[in-house]
Amino acid sequence: MSMAAIVSTSVIVLLMIGTFNTVGIIAKRLDGASPVDTLRHRYLQQEKLALNIVQQIDHVTNQVDEDVAQQRSIVLRELFTIYLRFVEQELSPEAALGDERYFTVLQRFAEWHQLEQNLLTINHLYRAVCSFLAEAVPRYADHLSTAAAGLDAFDMEARPELADNDLRLQSIDLAETVLYDRRQPIALQLDQIYTIMVRQALYYKVQMVAKSTICTFGLSAQQVLYLLYEAIAMTELKGYLMMQFAYMVLRAQGKGNFTVESSARRNELQTRLNRTHELLQRAMEQTSRDYWRCDPERQAHRENETYLQFTRLLQGYIENEVDMNTENTCRETCGHYQYGHRQEQCYKELYCTRQPKCAGRIYDCEYVDSDMWICPSAPQSQRRYEYIEYENGMVRGRKGYCPRGTTKVDSWWRWIFWHCSYCFCVCDDNGPRSDRFVSLREAVSDIAQNKVVTGLRFLKQDRVIHLAVQQGTLMPQGEIDNRTLEWVPPRYFSVLSKGIRDGLDYHTLTYDNRSMDLDDVQVYPGYVLTGVRFRLLGTHLNLMIRMTEMNFTSGQLMDLDKSIWIGNDNTIARTELVLKQPDVPTKALSKSVPDSTNGQYVRFTPTDREADAAQTTVPFLDAQPVYTHRPVPLSGAGIFHKGQSKSGGFLAPKLLTYDFTTHIQRPLGANNDLPEVSAVSHSVAISTGLSEDRLPSAN
């Protein structure tokens, strides 16, 4: 082969290789494959392309040794170029173990020490392979440019500095290290990883403890399991890639055929993947996709930052029975005044003149003791009283220093028959200091811009509670573009504004209408969450979600005008989550835990009369933004209660992260064949200067 032919062949090959990743390859249809499975598929396509090029060296016969050496040099250059392009564009060595945070869930298991060594060994060697490729490809390019200039780049006696013999020796040494290292051969590392994760069922063990990591990682339990699989699968792919690369390097150097060994590694890959996917899918199906925010530390609670509250909805209130009827009589007892009474007057300007009047309705009165000392709260406080100490020694609220001084309040006798008692009641006063409104307006993502909901949070503005959404742009294979994440401002309003209507724009909580349903609402298969809102279902606030169809592979929302609002319409079989002796949630000694179930409801109620003098409305609302640290589309949303014994707890939004279980797919054909690559034979024939009829079938 002449020098001009070699240079011409090299130029043609370099031009052709640039088209292999685009025009030349017809990818196997992978509708719904997960990102890591799709990446593995793309690598296998490149492997088949590289293998077809390397196989051409077997057809170089009846040529002088110098021509054979040149053919091997060309094949090696193209092999290196294919692999360098893949590692630079698809599987960068910088992401050594994926996100290493997710491996910390394994540290509690005895198997972790061995597994960690396997992962580090593979990734360390992978970096070495990538460094070699990054150095080798430019050096071959220098040979090519020198040859194109008319210099004999392969004449070792005339230009020894341009000879590529050292690259050949380096590549052989690297390939033998990958395959035959006495202490840490890659095949052994992969088998040990498979043994730990699958044969010893570490995936199942992780599934059992992943739920406890929700406060650590900011991910749902299923996300932890899936991302752990993804990180390990990426490492396994690196190991498999290096072995196949090593076989092709040795084959191109004339060190053997290695077809049997290469096929054996491919069969082992498929066997591992089949068993891994089977076990992983079962584990993921049993793993929760719920994500919610854990409480901050007790001292870190801040109103309007970590929690919100309804104020003066139902509040402990001291009133004498003589003021709760129009006849000014004391003929009844406190227990008579149970439902919907009012303060009708202020008899003889007694204690009623020294406290803000309950301008609404009075409920649930009881007699405690005749005489008491009342510690009033500061005028700007949402409380009426700090504590009440009765003459019999009973204290309601937390007794302490009383800045405004206590007021002595005594019941009295009218004649000798009627006792005019001071009653302990609850006041439902919808006044200017009572925040008791919930927005019924929708909060949605911009589906016209392909944005989906990725997070939820409660906000309060102008005394109205709003449920707000975070949105992000949907990408192929269930990914979210982090650069587009943003909170969508709610459509704020004032309940006093003209045209704003109760029952349409907002709901007003009252003694009779103060329930919220606790539901998980999930989208249909093939849909994602694109909006939320509250509605009134009977007298209950009830969560609804909007869902929009998604093409998982392309990452495009579909049929936008056919988005659907759904909710849990159950109004009969619900059970109440009863708050027993609830105290102020921020005073709890330990963090709240979920204690409600899907299909329950809870009523907003005053705190316990003894613990807090019924001065606070509970549960509070968790105001922390709820979004996963690795954003994903959502398969639903929910409202749930979390608390502790004798705590009012919090109502909080819940996310149901997207279920990737069905997208874990096998990459090879029924016979473990590599993916189809079209036009490879023709392109390889041109690149090597051989006749096409002498090439083996690409299939």
Side-chain angles (χ1 to χ4, degrees):
M1 180 180 292
S2 67
M3 189 64 230
I6 293 174
V7 172
S8 176
T9 298
S10 301
V11 173
I12 292 173
V13 170
L14 287 173
L15 292 174
M16 290 302 300
I17 202 71
T19 68
F20 287 158
N21 286 338
T22 55
V23 179
I25 296 175
I26 300 176
K28 178 182 177 182
R29 194 177 181 197
L30 279 180
D31 289 344
S34 70
V36 67
D37 293 323
T38 303
L39 175 64
R40 187 188 300 111
H41 180 87
R42 288 200 296 268
Y43 164 71
L44 293 174
Q45 289 179 315
Q46 297 303 300
E47 180 186 315
K48 186 161 190 176
L49 172 62
L51 184 59
N52 275 277
I53 292 176
V54 171
Q55 285 173 341
Q56 308 321 307
I57 208 69
D58 298 336
H59 300 279
V60 178
T61 58
N62 301 322
Q63 295 189 28
V64 297
D65 291 343
E66 182 180 351
D67 288 345
V68 172
Q70 309 319 316
Q71 287 288 348
R72 294 189 187 281
S73 179
I74 293 172
V75 168
L76 275 177
R77 183 179 66 241
E78 304 317 320
L79 175 64
F80 293 166
T81 300
I82 290 172
Y83 272 85
L84 178 63
R85 179 181 290 111
F86 183 81
V87 300
E88 287 183 339
Q89 297 180 358
E90 304 274 11
L91 197 56
S92 169
E94 278 69 32
L97 291 176
D99 194 330
E100 299 181 35
R101 292 180 304 160
Y102 308 127
F103 287 101
T104 60
V105 71
L106 298 175
Q107 293 177 1
R108 66 188 71 186
F109 299 111
E111 299 91 341
W112 166 244
H113 178 71
Q114 178 60 55
L115 179 63
E116 182 182 31
Q117 293 304 311
N118 298 138
L119 298 172
L120 291 174
T121 297
I122 290 176
N123 281 280
H124 177 74
L125 188 54
Y126 184 73
R127 283 195 178 96
V129 170
C130 293
S131 297
F132 169 79
L133 290 170
E135 176 186 355
V137 171
R139 289 175 64 179
Y140 270 119
D142 290 341
H143 295 325
L144 178 64
S145 60
T146 302
L151 298 176
D152 190 351
F154 302 102
D155 186 345
M156 296 184 185
E157 294 182 358
R159 300 296 301 275
E161 69 275 14
L162 295 178
D164 60 354
N165 189 54
D166 58 335
L167 284 177
R168 296 195 193 98
L169 295 177
Q170 289 178 31
S171 64
I172 292 173
D173 181 64
L174 182 62
E176 291 178 343
T177 299
V178 168
L179 297 173
Y180 308 125
D181 184 87
R182 292 183 179 180
R183 295 174 301 172
Q184 299 172 328
I186 294 300
L188 176 62
Q189 306 297 317
L190 293 178
D191 186 67
Q192 289 177 343
I193 292 174
Y194 172 72
T195 296
I196 292 171
M197 297 306 300
V198 178
R199 292 175 182 152
Q200 297 178 10
L202 192 56
Y203 277 121
Y204 265 130
K205 296 178 183 178
V206 171
Q207 180 252 332
M208 299 298 291
V209 302
K211 192 173 183 179
S212 66
T213 67
I214 193 168
C215 300
T216 306
F217 294 148
L219 302 168
S220 71
Q222 193 193 77
Q223 273 187 293
V224 171
L225 191 61
Y226 173 73
L227 293 176
L228 181 62
Y229 157 73
E230 190 176 62
I232 290 178
M234 295 278 276
T235 300
E236 289 181 314
L237 176 58
K238 293 172 185 176
Y240 174 79
L241 175 153
M242 288 189 290
M243 288 192 296
Q244 294 295 351
F245 173 72
Y247 287 133
M248 284 187 264
V249 166
L250 295 178
R251 184 173 180 177
Q253 304 278 26
K255 300 298 182 180
N257 184 272
F258 298 101
T259 300
V260 174
E261 293 85 347
S262 175
S263 179
R265 301 294 85 76
R266 194 172 302 117
N267 290 335
E268 290 167 2
L269 170 69
Q270 187 61 65
T271 299
R272 288 196 302 267
L273 290 175
N274 286 341
R275 182 69 183 109
T276 297
H277 288 178
E278 179 184 354
L279 184 146
L280 183 68
Q281 286 176 334
R282 287 204 304 266
M284 288 180 65
E285 288 170 356
Q286 300 171 18
T287 306
S288 170
R289 292 181 289 116
D290 296 353
Y291 178 70
W292 43 274
R293 287 293 297 272
C294 300
D295 289 356
E297 297 302 322
R298 182 181 177 188
Q299 62 273 17
H301 270 300
R302 299 290 184 274
E303 186 170 5
N304 298 321
E305 293 182 13
T306 64
Y307 70 92
L308 307 171
Q309 61 175 316
F310 294 109
T311 58
R312 297 200 172 189
L313 172 58
L314 298 175
Q315 191 170 48
Y317 181 66
I318 298 293
E319 188 59 271
N320 196 287
E321 59 179 302
V322 74
D323 294 326
M324 290 189 285
N325 62 80
T326 57
E327 291 83 15
N328 290 338
T329 68
C330 301
R331 296 174 183 172
E332 306 294 344
T333 64
C334 289
H336 171 76
Y337 299 94
Q338 290 296 302
Y339 184 84
H341 296 272
R342 292 182 180 274
Q343 180 182 336
E344 302 293 349
Q345 67 274 316
C346 184
Y347 182 75
K348 292 187 177 181
E349 298 185 353
L350 296 176
Y351 183 68
C352 52
T353 64
R354 305 184 65 177
Q355 69 171 348
K357 175 184 177 180
C358 177
R361 297 283 183 174
I362 298 173
Y363 299 88
D364 301 335
C365 296
E366 66 172 341
Y367 175 78
V368 181
D369 195 15
S370 295
D371 305 329
M372 66 205 76
W373 289 265
I374 298 177
C375 176
S377 297
Q380 68 274 16
S381 173
Q382 293 294 349
R383 302 173 65 92
R384 289 178 177 270
Y385 321 116
E386 293 302 315
Y387 66 88
I388 303 166
E389 183 177 11
Y390 290 92
E391 196 169 55
N392 63 7
M394 179 181 291
V395 177
R396 292 198 162 182
R398 291 172 173 82
K399 183 179 178 180
Y401 173 67
C402 187
R404 302 181 66 193
T406 59
T407 301
K408 184 67 164 60
V409 178
D410 297 325
S411 302
W412 74 92
W413 287 93
R414 175 176 286 179
W415 304 296
I416 60 173
F417 303 105
W418 315 117
H419 188 258
C420 294
S421 304
Y422 275 98
C423 306
F424 189 97
C425 313
V426 292
C427 169
D428 178 2
D429 184 357
N430 185 6
R433 300 188 63 184
S434 178
D435 300 347
R436 56 172 63 203
F437 310 106
V438 179
S439 174
L440 300 180
R441 292 182 172 181
E442 63 184 28
V444 297
S445 62
D446 187 354
I447 56 177
Q449 298 299 319
N450 211 51
K451 295 181 184 292
V452 298
V453 173
T454 55
L456 298 173
R457 71 187 306 181
F458 281 122
L459 295 170
K460 184 161 74 169
Q461 179 79 16
D462 292 329
R463 303 164 58 204
V464 181
I465 297 294
H466 300 264
L467 188 56
V469 301
Q470 184 194 64
Q471 66 177 6
T473 300
L474 183 63
M475 304 290 284
Q477 299 167 316
E479 299 286 328
I480 299 293
D481 186 349
N482 289 353
R483 299 167 300 178
T484 65
L485 292 173
E486 61 181 345
W487 288 97
V488 180
R491 297 161 57 199
Y492 293 124
F493 58 87
S494 169
V495 296
L496 302 178
S497 298
K498 184 178 180 180
I500 301 299
R501 290 172 290 177
D502 193 355
L504 181 64
D505 297 289
Y506 66 93
H507 171 62
T508 303
L509 297 178
T510 65
Y511 181 88
D512 294 317
N513 301 292
R514 52 190 168 104
S515 297
M516 182 173 287
D517 290 337
L518 306 176
D519 289 323
D520 297 337
V521 189
Q522 299 195 47
V523 303
Y524 301 159
Y527 287 74
V528 290
L529 183 69
T530 57
V532 295
R533 68 180 177 91
F534 286 113
R535 64 172 172 174
L536 278 178
L537 190 62
T539 60
H540 290 205
L541 284 166
N542 181 271
L543 178 69
M544 296 193 76
I545 66 171
R546 186 180 74 173
M547 61 181 187
T548 305
E549 191 173 359
M550 170 189 69
N551 183 309
F552 181 85
T553 303
S554 67
Q556 290 295 313
L557 296 175
M558 304 166 60
D559 297 329
L560 305 185
D561 57 336
K562 296 181 180 179
S563 297
I564 306 169
W565 285 95
I566 60 172
N568 184 348
D569 297 332
N570 175 26
T571 59
I572 299 175
R574 290 189 181 274
T575 59
E576 181 179 1
L577 176 68
V578 179
L579 304 180
K580 298 178 180 179
Q581 298 177 284
D583 200 355
V584 177
T586 54
K587 297 184 182 299
L589 298 179
S590 56
K591 294 185 178 182
S592 303
V593 295
D595 55 9
S596 63
T597 58
N598 186 34
Q600 288 188 298
Y601 72 94
V602 67
R603 290 193 295 175
F604 292 99
T605 188
T607 42
D608 183 64
R609 297 187 176 200
E610 292 187 12
D612 190 51
Q615 292 300 292
T616 310
T617 300
V618 291
F620 285 176
L621 302 177
D622 191 334
Q624 299 176 101
V626 185
Y627 58 91
T628 56
H629 287 182
R630 175 164 169 171
V632 292
L634 302 178
S635 291
I639 301 294
F640 75 105
H641 182 270
K642 56 179 181 175
Q644 289 286 351
S645 175
K646 296 185 178 181
S647 170
F650 301 86
L651 288 185
K654 176 196 299 184
L655 309 181
L656 279 68
T657 56
Y658 187 80
D659 187 0
F660 283 90
T661 303
T662 58
H663 301 295
I664 298 174
Q665 300 181 359
R666 56 179 289 160
L668 300 177
N671 298 318
N672 292 346
D673 295 329
L674 288 171
E676 294 295 331
V677 183
S678 69
V680 168
S681 295
H682 176 67
S683 300
V684 170
I686 295 176
S687 67
T688 57
L690 301 174
S691 63
E692 188 171 346
D693 57 6
R694 295 175 58 187
L695 297 179
S697 170
N699 298 319

